[in-house]
Amino acid sequence: MFSWLGTDDRRRKDPEVFQTVSEGLKKLYKTKLLPLEEHYRFHEFHSPALEDADFDNKPMVLLVGQYSTGKTTFIRYLLEQDFPGMRIGPEPTTDSFIAVMQGDVEGIIPGNALVVDPKKPFRKLNAFGNAFLNRFVCAQLPNAVLESISVIDTPGILSGEKQRISRGYDFAAVLEWFAERVDRIILLFDAHKLDISDEFSEVIKALKNHEDKMRVVLNKADQIETQQLMRVYGALMWSLGKIVNTPEVIRVYIGSFWSHPLLIPDNRKLFEAEEQDLFRDIQSLPRNAALRKLNDLIKRARLAKVHAYIISSLKKEMPSVFGKDNKKKELVNNLGEIYGRIEREHQISPGDFPNLKRMQDQLQAQDFSKFQPLKSKLLEVVDDMLAHDIAQLMVLVRQEEIQRPVQMVKGGAFEGTLHGPFGHGYGEGAGEGIDDAEWVVARDKPMYDEIFYTLSPVDGKITGANAKKEMVRSKLPNSVLGKIWKLADIDKDGMLDDEEFALANHLIKVKLEGHELPNELPAHLLPPSKRKVAE
């Protein structure tokens, strides 16, 4: 009795049940978001409809930069091998978009064949026409790095007189299409000739709303002296601050990403540390891929909702018979006011609205009489998805992360420093003595022993209280000293013998010299008498 009263509420409160994140994303998009997009012609204004391949594909890295900033060389450095279609030179050599992907056989697939392959996530690029497809290829090759990620090489962005040359297709729109679907966007700059052209500025602005995916590489940094490098870095940060309107500073990696000797090796340690940071960021992409796709679906749903409000508002304002053309012009000119009204009525953040100028340009070619009025049910379905189903998928994302082995990019340059002495840094901090045959702490142990025997050892050990009296002399905070104690008390008996005490003092010295403490004690720091105990 009265079962009809709670039907809608029950439907909203029971989220969909999915077996995998990928399956859930596909189903939510097709059943809940796609109907709203189609009803309000979202794909004509913003982004083509998503397909299964968009949810199933490997993480992708998009490289963007002016010509001769080292984009193609960067890919070759990562892969440690040439790829089909690769051309490197000081002038604009890459005049195509090249998707570098894993394949059993090395070869090139032309753009027109790529956009009809349902297994590749590029079918919707067909909308950009032959001028673009003739400049789009997929380079396939067997490579360990490409088993985990794909890399998109782009034409060098032009500067000066060169940027007046028409490409024959909407370059910024193509980049924006890729930006919506990739996991990381790497902007490359040449430290030797830093210049942000008008076209590059427009490209960066076109990547608005994807700042969370952006990383910046200041490449070829070995070609200039340290003082000049500091000036270039400052100029780059200032320029980016003017173009990228975010309160957060985009991460900039400084280095020289090629396999040639460094021209000026003064900053070698800095370059190596920056490279490892960038590599760790790229290596994490497979692990975070599902979360990125979920986040992109949420952003798309928010934009689709705003678009529906805009289109339905324009439809509502249009006269039914006379004066349609004049009213259309008036509405397009006053679109900013319509944005403001929608923002107030529906409590929508200004950042969720599409670019005003671009939207006005697109509306000029539209027939407003074909727009649809507001259909609340479609919006309610999307709201229900955002409120309940997305939360269910978030839980599933975490479950998949726990159940699956750790996914990381392997092979190529990512393996280069894992083996031998080149992964150890320069023997500083906790890494000091890693290649020495003798225990590195033994060098200063006689000095530490003198202090140890003044602390009233009993049966060769001092109490925690006596050790604390000495350790606090370092003036390090208790949180740091507590970590040092945990690392040094190897047998976990709450006391320190002479070797453990020497180790504790060695770690205090490491910290006082400005280095970070390890989370676990490295094998080379274990006292010789404790190594069998640890095993």
Side-chain angles (χ1 to χ4, degrees):
M1 186 176 175
F2 302 122
S3 61
W4 55 272
L5 285 172
T7 302
D8 195 48
D9 286 338
R10 280 202 305 273
R11 180 186 63 76
R12 285 192 192 140
K13 288 177 183 175
D14 294 338
E16 298 267 5
V17 178
F18 306 112
Q19 298 302 314
T20 66
V21 175
S22 179
E23 174 214 325
L25 288 169
K26 289 179 201 172
K27 189 172 180 183
L28 286 180
Y29 177 70
K30 288 177 182 175
T31 61
K32 299 196 172 185
L33 183 53
L34 185 58
L36 179 72
E37 291 183 354
E38 290 177 336
H39 193 71
Y40 293 103
R41 304 164 78 166
F42 178 88
H43 309 132
E44 295 178 29
F45 288 84
H46 305 290
S47 175
L50 299 177
E51 296 191 322
D52 286 353
D54 292 308
F55 298 105
D56 295 332
N57 67 302
K58 295 172 188 172
M60 293 193 289
V61 178
L62 178 69
L63 297 182
V64 182
Q66 293 179 184
Y67 73 91
S68 192
T69 53
K71 296 186 298 299
T72 306
T73 307
F74 182 86
I75 299 174
R76 202 232 168 274
Y77 184 72
L78 292 184
L79 304 183
E80 291 190 342
Q81 75 177 90
D82 293 348
F83 57 87
M86 183 184 93
R87 290 169 60 215
I88 296 172
E91 282 299 300
T93 50
T94 303
D95 63 348
S96 300
F97 281 80
I98 304 177
V100 187
M101 306 181 82
Q102 173 71 11
D104 296 331
V105 181
E106 193 170 307
I108 286 181
I109 304 172
N112 282 291
L114 266 179
V115 295
V116 295
D117 185 349
K119 294 181 181 178
K120 295 280 195 297
F122 306 124
R123 287 175 26 122
K124 296 297 182 179
L125 283 168
N126 190 51
F128 292 104
N130 271 328
F132 166 71
L133 295 179
N134 292 334
R135 291 281 180 268
F136 179 44
V137 297
C138 174
Q140 286 193 328
L141 67 156
N143 185 280
V145 173
L146 299 176
E147 290 176 7
S148 305
I149 61 171
S150 300
V151 186
I152 312 296
D153 193 9
T154 62
I157 294 170
L158 305 175
S159 61
E161 281 300 311
K162 298 184 186 74
Q163 67 187 5
R164 299 179 189 276
I165 302 167
S166 173
R167 295 182 186 270
Y169 61 90
D170 192 338
F171 181 68
V174 173
L175 279 180
E176 191 174 354
W177 186 94
F178 275 109
E180 289 179 3
R181 289 158 177 80
V182 301
D183 297 71
R184 187 67 74 237
I185 302 166
I186 297 181
L187 305 177
L188 280 100
F189 293 87
D190 184 343
H192 194 241
K193 46 181 175 56
L194 183 64
D195 173 37
I196 301 181
S197 67
D198 294 342
E199 187 179 31
F200 201 2
S201 296
E202 290 305 310
V203 163
I204 296 173
K205 288 173 183 174
L207 301 178
K208 184 192 172 193
N209 299 327
H210 302 291
E211 290 91 351
D212 56 320
K213 298 179 183 180
M214 280 189 201
R215 303 291 183 271
V216 174
V217 169
L218 185 57
N219 201 13
K220 305 184 183 182
D222 65 316
Q223 297 185 14
I224 56 177
E225 299 284 353
T226 302
Q227 189 175 13
Q228 181 64 15
L229 180 59
M230 291 173 65
R231 290 189 181 123
V232 169
Y233 178 80
L236 175 61
M237 296 300 288
W238 182 81
S239 299
L240 286 174
K242 290 174 64 180
I243 302 169
V244 183
N245 295 317
T246 57
E248 302 86 7
V249 177
I250 293 179
R251 177 67 161 96
V252 177
Y253 299 90
I254 304 171
S256 187
F257 294 90
W258 65 344
S259 54
H260 293 263
L262 298 175
L263 197 63
I264 301 173
D266 297 1
N267 296 304
R268 182 186 186 110
K269 292 182 185 180
L270 170 66
F271 298 162
E272 289 177 1
E274 292 283 280
E275 179 181 288
Q276 289 306 310
D277 283 352
L278 178 59
F279 281 6
R280 276 192 289 270
D281 184 66
I282 295 173
Q283 284 181 299
S284 71
L285 295 179
R287 189 172 65 248
N288 299 325
L291 199 57
R292 191 276 302 169
K293 288 170 185 172
L294 183 63
N295 184 54
D296 282 354
L297 186 70
I298 295 169
K299 284 199 286 188
R300 189 180 179 101
R302 291 166 70 95
L303 179 59
K305 280 182 58 183
V306 171
H307 180 77
Y309 286 129
I310 295 169
I311 296 300
S312 58
S313 293
L314 293 173
K315 173 68 175 178
K316 187 178 178 181
E317 295 288 337
M318 284 296 287
S320 55
V321 183
F322 300 111
K324 289 184 179 181
D325 289 343
N326 290 334
K327 187 63 177 178
K328 175 182 172 179
K329 289 178 184 176
E330 180 188 327
L331 290 171
V332 170
N333 291 334
N334 296 333
L335 189 60
E337 295 176 14
I338 295 172
Y339 275 20
R341 189 168 68 244
I342 294 170
E343 182 186 330
R344 290 189 299 272
E345 285 180 11
H346 302 283
Q347 290 81 51
I348 296 171
S349 168
D352 287 351
F353 284 81
N355 178 271
L356 179 62
K357 178 69 170 65
R358 183 175 169 186
M359 192 69 176
Q360 286 173 321
D361 292 342
Q362 289 172 318
L363 286 169
Q364 300 285 3
Q366 293 288 334
D367 182 354
F368 285 22
S369 65
K370 293 182 180 178
F371 288 172
Q372 299 294 328
L374 191 65
K375 194 172 182 180
S376 299
K377 192 169 183 180
L378 287 173
L379 289 161
E380 286 170 8
V381 169
V382 173
D383 285 335
D384 179 55
M385 177 189 84
L386 292 171
H388 301 102
D389 298 314
I390 294 296
Q392 182 78 9
L393 273 184
M394 280 295 296
V395 174
L396 199 54
V397 166
R398 298 305 178 201
Q399 288 176 354
E400 285 190 1
E401 285 179 355
I402 294 167
Q403 291 167 2
R404 290 180 180 175
V406 176
Q407 297 174 292
M408 289 185 73
V409 181
K410 296 178 180 178
F414 298 100
E415 301 286 329
T417 58
L418 292 182
H419 308 291
F422 295 98
H424 300 160
Y426 290 86
E428 298 173 329
E432 183 183 357
I434 194 168
D435 293 316
D436 295 352
E438 295 184 2
W439 187 38
V440 65
V441 183
R443 299 173 192 168
D444 297 320
K445 190 169 182 295
M447 179 178 66
Y448 300 142
D449 282 349
E450 287 183 19
I451 302 170
F452 178 79
Y453 288 108
T454 65
L455 298 174
S456 308
V458 177
D459 296 330
K461 296 193 173 190
I462 60 172
T463 62
N466 284 343
K468 179 180 178 181
K469 289 177 186 175
E470 179 60 31
M471 291 172 70
V472 294
R473 291 175 182 268
S474 67
K475 299 181 182 178
L476 289 170
N478 283 350
S479 58
V480 175
L481 293 174
K483 184 173 184 178
I484 290 171
W485 176 274
K486 186 178 178 182
L487 292 169
D489 184 15
I490 293 161
D491 52 16
K492 309 301 179 193
D493 64 351
M495 305 178 79
L496 300 181
D497 62 21
D498 61 321
E499 288 183 327
E500 291 173 328
F501 180 74
L503 174 60
N505 279 279
H506 178 77
L507 293 171
I508 287 173
K509 184 181 83 166
V510 165
K511 186 63 182 175
L512 290 175
E513 288 175 350
H515 302 288
E516 290 300 317
L517 294 171
N519 292 321
E520 294 183 6
L521 192 68
H524 73 282
L525 288 183
L526 269 173
S529 65
K530 300 287 193 299
R531 288 176 188 178
K532 289 182 181 178
V533 175
E535 290 171 6

